[in-house]
Amino acid sequence: MMNQFLHSNTAIVSIQKSTYDNLNIESLLKPIGGFKNYISKGERVLLKTNLLNATEPEKCIVTNPVVISAVAKSVLKVGGIPFIGDSPSGQFTKRRLKRVYKKSGLIKLSKQLGIELNYDTSSKKIDFPNGKRLQKIPIYNFVLNADKIISLPKIKTHSFMMMTLATKIMFGSIPGLTKAKYHSMFLRRKEFAEMLIDVLLVAKPNLIIMDGVVGMQGEGPSSGDPVELEVMLASENSVALDLAICKMLDIEPIGIPTLKEAKIRNLWPLQIDYPLLSPKDVKYTGFILLSSAGYLLTGKKTPDRFPCPNVKCIGCDQCVEVCSRKAIKIVDKKAKIDYSKCIKCYCCHEVYTYNAIDLETMI
Ligand code: SF4
Ligand code: SF4
């Protein structure tokens, strides 16, 4: 399962209009052979969701549990054993996982369907001699031990990588605070994207099902606004799927660092077939990108946006935990940032606790 390359001349991306009341995952999967094409009886299937932080699904920061539920039911139907896992921002502890699962509606879901939530926090280093940035990649055992991986990303903007889509979601295979460390090691977007593609090539999902019913626009991945796109997409090719979303939202794909890096590594398919709807059929006009996106797309220098704690801060300490540069201290029960140490990785912003960090341009 691991170490397969993504490159193929032709890829298929299945796209259909959907609402959370009417997902019809099985018709979405039909053109690519249905779930039975990917899952055999008795296989443990990781549903790798986007669980960025402990938030209610209505905020659109995490993959909607309705999508996870529909996919889990389909996996059960073909005899697979689904389980849910991801590594949220911050420390990867059982306590934190429980909190994230609870807020995002997954404890209820796991009880309803009788499926497991991952609490295994162990990991192993995997050799990847061809890696551009990482030749040894620490990957969580819950990812490595899965027989199959179905990734369930959500269409969202991203403060550092512009969009968080299928080519980025497997970053959640990397142990908790190592993710923050990588922000410190790979300061430039290009370097970070090179690392992300290394990770994707080692922890490659067998199937990707994108939650695009309600996405996030503006200042994602945690402080943007929900946007009703009413679409679901599926493919076995992460790059093809992200390229389809770029067409649908009228985004220049080369402006997304992971897609640019995928192109450099010759991972873009020569042809993408759309057996159901095409990106044109579901075109969404007016999707709001990050305020800094224009700079990324034109290749000009991104304006310096720094994390600024706002009045909602209660000094809970979680941003201190994720800051690899030790730039944050709690002073008088408020987060205080030493900007001489800050590398603008935005990990503290992603933690989202109390929505207490804004990104601001300093003049
Ligand atoms: S900024 Fe947010 S995470 Fe940091 S201390 Fe304040 S409330 Fe907690
Ligand atoms: S304070 Fe700066 S370096 Fe620390 S997590 Fe936030 S953005 Fe990253």
Side-chain angles (χ1 to χ4, degrees):
M1 182 178 67
M2 300 296 167
N3 280 324
Q4 294 172 15
F5 269 75
L6 293 161
H7 183 70
S8 60
N9 286 336
T10 309
I12 301 173
V13 178
S14 185
I15 305 176
Q16 74 178 18
K17 293 291 283 176
S18 299
T19 62
Y20 288 134
D21 292 334
N22 184 19
L23 277 180
N24 210 348
I25 293 278
E26 302 206 356
S27 69
L28 179 72
L29 266 282
K30 209 170 173 189
I32 48 177
F35 280 89
K36 62 177 183 339
N37 200 25
Y38 299 92
I39 317 291
S40 302
K41 214 172 164 191
E43 281 185 329
R44 276 177 57 76
V45 182
L46 168 62
L47 307 184
K48 164 65 183 78
T49 62
N50 182 335
L51 280 178
L52 181 66
N53 49 36
T55 48
E56 300 79 6
E58 303 74 53
K59 290 195 170 131
C60 292
I61 294 170
V62 296
T63 308
N64 196 291
V66 173
V67 172
I68 303 169
S69 169
V71 175
K73 283 181 190 162
S74 299
V75 171
L76 286 166
K77 215 162 147 186
V78 294
I81 306 162
F83 68 104
I84 297 169
D86 189 24
S87 146
S89 60
Q91 280 192 338
F92 193 63
T93 59
K94 288 181 185 162
R95 195 159 151 254
R96 178 153 169 76
L97 275 175
K98 198 167 179 186
R99 186 163 173 264
V100 173
Y101 288 144
K102 192 170 174 204
K103 276 251 182 178
S104 54
L106 295 181
I107 293 199
K108 193 171 156 204
L109 176 72
S110 77
K111 282 184 186 152
Q112 274 168 357
L113 299 183
I115 63 172
E116 191 189 311
L117 297 170
N118 174 64
Y119 284 101
D120 179 1
T121 57
S122 65
S123 62
K124 193 161 91 186
K125 280 199 174 157
I126 301 295
D127 287 326
F128 187 48
N130 293 330
K132 229 183 203 181
R133 289 285 157 190
L134 300 171
Q135 284 76 44
K136 278 191 186 293
I137 309 188
I139 302 278
Y140 277 124
N141 283 327
F142 75 84
V143 178
L144 295 172
N145 294 339
D147 295 311
K148 295 283 166 60
I149 301 171
I150 301 180
S151 76
L152 302 171
K154 194 167 179 72
I155 299 181
K156 292 196 299 173
T157 48
H158 191 274
S159 47
F160 192 45
M161 288 286 106
M162 195 158 139
M163 294 294 289
T164 175
L165 301 170
T167 43
K168 184 178 180 294
I169 189 171
M170 296 315 289
F171 191 45
S173 313
I174 302 287
L177 295 181
T178 306
K179 289 189 293 181
K181 190 177 98 187
Y182 286 171
H183 276 283
S184 238
M185 285 167 64
F186 309 119
L187 292 176
R188 292 168 58 220
R189 283 195 168 87
K190 181 179 181 299
E191 297 166 349
F192 200 77
E194 287 169 352
M195 176 277 296
L196 286 175
I197 297 295
D198 285 346
V199 173
L200 182 66
L201 291 171
V202 170
K204 179 188 172 291
N206 302 82
L207 176 65
I208 307 108
I209 300 175
M210 178 71 72
D211 173 6
V213 177
V214 185
M216 178 177 277
Q217 61 181 354
E219 304 304 307
S222 55
S223 300
D225 301 309
V227 53
E228 288 186 22
L229 302 169
E230 296 191 338
V231 74
M232 291 287 297
L233 302 93
S235 181
E236 25 183 276
N237 188 315
S238 312
V239 174
L241 201 145
D242 286 1
L243 289 170
I245 290 170
C246 286
K247 274 198 174 168
M248 173 189 143
L249 299 179
D250 206 12
I251 296 173
E252 174 51 63
I254 232 54
I256 297 178
T258 49
L259 286 179
K260 185 173 181 182
E261 175 57 19
K263 180 145 184 85
I264 291 167
R265 293 201 209 184
N266 209 17
L267 297 175
W268 282 25
L270 295 178
Q271 188 190 323
I272 304 177
D273 291 340
Y274 300 107
L276 296 177
L277 298 175
S278 76
K280 252 191 193 168
D281 300 324
V282 289
K283 199 164 186 64
Y284 184 89
T285 313
F287 184 80
I288 301 168
L289 291 166
L290 296 154
S291 47
S292 56
Y295 293 83
L296 285 175
L297 289 172
T298 56
K300 288 183 191 156
K301 192 179 180 300
T302 307
D304 284 340
R305 291 158 83 233
F306 286 89
C308 299
N310 60 36
V311 289
K312 293 181 210 150
C313 176
I314 56 151
C316 74
D317 212 33
Q318 286 189 45
C319 55
V320 177
E321 242 176 46
V322 299
C323 179
S324 61
R325 305 301 277 210
K326 303 203 183 320
I328 313 177
K329 277 188 185 152
I330 304 296
V331 180
D332 296 334
K333 296 193 180 154
K334 296 274 176 204
K336 199 162 187 298
I337 298 181
D338 177 348
Y339 293 106
S340 67
K341 293 182 181 168
C342 177
I343 54 168
K344 302 183 290 288
C345 66
Y346 310 131
C347 289
C348 54
H349 181 244
E350 284 183 18
V351 170
Y352 188 74
T353 315
Y354 309 105
N355 202 7
I357 294 188
D358 300 324
L359 294 181
E360 287 177 14
T361 307
M362 291 190 186
I363 303 163

